[in-house]
Structure formats: structure tokens, C-alpha cells
Amino acid sequence: MEIQSIKNRFGIIGNSPALNYALQVAAQVANTDLTVMIFGESGVGKEVFSTIIHALSARKHNPFIAVNCGAIPEGTIDSELFGHEKGSFTGAVDSRKGYFETVNGGTIFLDEIGEMPLGTQARLLRVLETGEFIRVGSSKVQKTDVRVIAATNRDLLEQTQHGKFREDLYYRLNTVPIRVPSLRDRKEDIPLLFRKFSVDFSERYKTPSIQLDDEARNILINYPWRGNVRELKNMAEQISVLANDKLVTAQELQRFLPEVPNTSRLPMLALPQQGSSDFASERDILYKLFFDMKKDVTELKKMFFDILQNPNIAHAAAYQENNHEHVLHNFAPTENNNVLPAPSRIILQDHDIDHHEEVEETLSIADKEKELIVKALKKHKGKRKDAALDLGISERTLYRKLKEYNIGD
């Protein structure tokens, strides 16, 4: 099928070589059962490519379903994909079929595959290799014939190196890679897309179509568009409704475009040296900062305690400790209120002050994190959702930390 025919059928606008190549690969692989991995930033239209592959395949009359792996909680994603038996977990009042069972013979699109938990990744790998799966809470092996198309906006190869994505699953999914270019990599298509969106919105809202002058068009082309086609479409709709004049100038356009921060001037965290975990994350830095502050406060409290126990040295400005003696240089105000050092000094023996022994507290980030998690769970009586909210982390992250630190319910 010709590339232009695919564009007309699925409403794809653009003529950049990178876009045409991605469409060509999608058309060639569509009539096979090969697993496809679609790479691209958020908003570039990865789901459209999955629709094209399914519509041009022999499975086009069978079911197609798109699943956002990042939108399903970690505790229920296995049930959503593979189904569950009655009573297999709290709330499972009835048996339920999963997507791989209901879409048998069709195509399943797994968007944001990089968000899938490791346990679910192992189940998915078995489906891809053998076509078999087991419902949650069941021991019966079931068969399915589903074509898998996956998509991600992350670098999965890097995630495999950090143990966040299974390497065997990565290579199994990456049979045919398709890379959808970002909007800033196909600048020649930006005016065409904006024109198409503005015409569509003028028809929807019964208003005259907006036009851009040359300077405004150049600004539109050189804008970074971090949200890609989705951001451009939203911007076209906003301008179509709110623009005072239908011929939009550069000055008018600047009202709608958000200011792009100069990220090159922003401070950044230095990467930790190999083998060091002191600054593994921003949270670790905060923990270390708090512990250092606590140590400083402890030393200040000790100094104030010494002063309170000895009123005669309330105006002391220096404190020295040498061979079990505390030496204080006494500073006394003169008649003209100028503070001058007195020639005398006060020697305090250790028996004058109660001996306080400082107990060194552990500075392990992992221990402190585990302690905070345990306290949060006790505070909220084991309710993980409330504990995660109190800790300022997601419920999925809390679940992973419970497994990591072997914390029971």
C-alpha cells in the first residue's frame, strides 16, 4: 500500500523523510505476526501507528485493544492482562477474563511498556514465547493467539542495565523497531499540521479560520514543542478560540506560547561516583542534609547547656577543650559599651558539668527510609495508600520499597 494512501486513510499530515520511513516500515510489517516496538516521545502519535499495523493486517476483523501500562496500578495489572479467579484476592467476587483472553485472535497495544512491573514482564514474556498464560489464583494453563505491539517513550536498553526492565523481554519485543520522529525533528510539517488543526477547529466552532503572518510562522516552526503533535493541536485550538484577529502576528502568537526555560543555566546534581550511593537521588541528599543539621543542633545544645550551668561565662565567645579542661576567654563590656577581652580566664574541670555521652546515630539512608516507611504504616494502621500519600511517594513505589526492605503487612 502506498504511503500517501495510508496518510489519507488515517489522517496523517506531513512529508518528512523520517515520518515516511516509519510509515513504510509499519506497512511492510503489518501483514505478519511479528512483534513490533514503537519508540517515540509523548504526543508523537504512537497509538496511531499501532492502529495502522492492525488495520493493514490479517487480524483487522478481530478485536484490537490499547492498554496504558502506566495507568494500571501494580497490584491489579496482572488481573487486567491475564484475568483472575473468584476469591484470588480481596475484591475478586467473581472470575474475570483478562485482555489476552478477550482479544484472542486480535491485537493488543501495550503503551508505556517501560512502566510494567517486573513480575508482569515475566508473565508477558511467557505469552510471547509460548502463547500461554495463567489467570491470577489459578493453576490452569490457557492458550491465546494475540499479536503484541508495544510502545515506550523511555530508553528501555538503559533500563535493562539498571534492572528495571527485563533484557530478554526487551529483545523479544524489539523484533521490529519503529521510531516515530518528534515534531522538532520534522519542522517542515509544523505549518501543515497547524493549518489542518485550525481549519478543523474553525469548522467545529463556526468561526473564520486563523492565518499566521511570516514572522509568526517562523516562531511556530522554531518552537521546541516538547508535547509534540498533541501540544501543537491544543495550541491551535486555543488560538482559534481566543485570538483577537484572525491574522495572527508574532506578537499575538507570543501571548499563547509558554516561555521556554533556559535549561542550560539551571543547576544540576552531580552524578555519584561509581560505588558511592551517598547521592543516589535528590531524596538521599535531603536526608544527608537533615542529618548534618541534626548533628550541628546537637553541638549547639551542648554548648548552651555549658553556658546555662555556668552563669559567669554567659558572655563567652570562644570555647576550647584540652586535656579534659574547658577553657573560656571571658569577654566583659567596658564603660563605653565596647566589648573587650578580659585578661582573666576561667578553668572548668570536668566535674563542674554533668558528663553527657553522645550516642552516634546511624546515617544509613536505607535504614532511615525503612524506618520512615514502618512509622508511616503504623500511623495509618497498615493502609498503604494513606502511608504513601503521607510519605510523598506513589503507592507503586511504596509497594516496591516494602518488597525491597522485606517489610511485612
Side-chain angles (χ1 to χ4, degrees), residues 97 146 242 343 369 382:
K97 294 182 178 181
V146 175
L242 300 178
E369 190 172 47

Side-chain angles (χ1 to χ4, degrees), residues 29 34-37 170-177:
V29 77
L34 293 175
T35 304
V36 179
M37 174 70 84
Y170 169 77
Y171 289 112
R172 185 64 181 80
L173 289 170
N174 200 29
T175 306
V176 179

Side-chain angles (χ1 to χ4, degrees), residues 380-391:
H380 297 283
K381 299 180 180 180
K383 295 181 180 179
R384 295 179 179 176
K385 182 176 181 180
D386 295 338
L389 185 63
D390 199 4
L391 290 167

Side-chain angles (χ1 to χ4, degrees), residues 30-32 48-49 52 75 87 121 133 145 149 167 174 184 227 244 256 278 280 320 332 335 338 364 396-397 407 409:
N31 207 28
T32 69
V48 176
F49 277 79
I52 292 173
Q121 292 178 29
F133 69 94
D145 176 24
I149 302 173
E167 188 175 6
N174 200 29
R184 60 183 171 275
N244 298 324
F256 298 98
D278 289 343
Q320 296 177 338
E335 294 180 356
N338 292 326
S364 170
R396 176 180 295 181
T397 301
I407 301 175
D409 293 335

Side-chain angles (χ1 to χ4, degrees), residues 177-214:
I178 296 178
R179 300 190 179 275
V180 185
S182 62
L183 196 55
R184 60 183 171 275
D185 291 333
R186 42 185 288 227
K187 291 185 176 182
E188 64 271 28
D189 295 339
I190 294 176
L192 297 174
L193 285 164
F194 185 83
R195 176 63 179 166
K196 171 66 168 58
F197 293 146
S198 62
V199 169
D200 290 344
F201 290 128
S202 67
E203 293 177 355
R204 177 186 299 181
Y205 300 121
K206 310 298 181 184
T207 59
S209 179
I210 58 175
Q211 303 287 335
L212 298 176
D213 65 12
D214 292 339

Side-chain angles (χ1 to χ4, degrees), residues 22 57 70 180-181 195 246 336 339 394:
S57 71
V180 185
R195 176 63 179 166
K246 294 308 173 183
N336 57 0
V339 179
S394 66

Side-chain angles (χ1 to χ4, degrees), residues 228-248:
N228 293 290
V229 179
R230 184 185 294 121
E231 183 183 7
L232 179 63
K233 184 176 181 180
N234 292 341
M235 188 62 60
E237 184 174 17
Q238 186 181 154
I239 297 174
S240 298
V241 174
L242 300 178
N244 298 324
D245 193 346
K246 294 308 173 183
L247 179 60
V248 179

Side-chain angles (χ1 to χ4, degrees), residues 37 69 74 77-78 81-82 100 110 112-129 132 148 154 156 159-173 396 400:
M37 174 70 84
C69 299
E74 184 174 352
I77 189 170
D78 285 353
L81 294 177
F82 308 107
F100 277 95
L110 299 176
E112 304 300 342
I113 189 73
E115 301 287 344
M116 182 176 287
L118 288 172
T120 310
Q121 292 178 29
R123 286 172 172 262
L124 176 60
L125 181 63
R126 181 178 181 183
V127 173
L128 293 173
E129 291 182 341
E132 298 177 345
V148 174
R154 296 190 175 189
L156 291 186
Q159 285 193 272
T160 62
Q161 297 171 357
H162 292 86
K164 297 180 179 179
F165 199 84
R166 292 181 62 102
E167 188 175 6
D168 48 5
L169 178 60
Y170 169 77
Y171 289 112
R172 185 64 181 80
L173 289 170
R396 176 180 295 181
R400 178 170 57 80

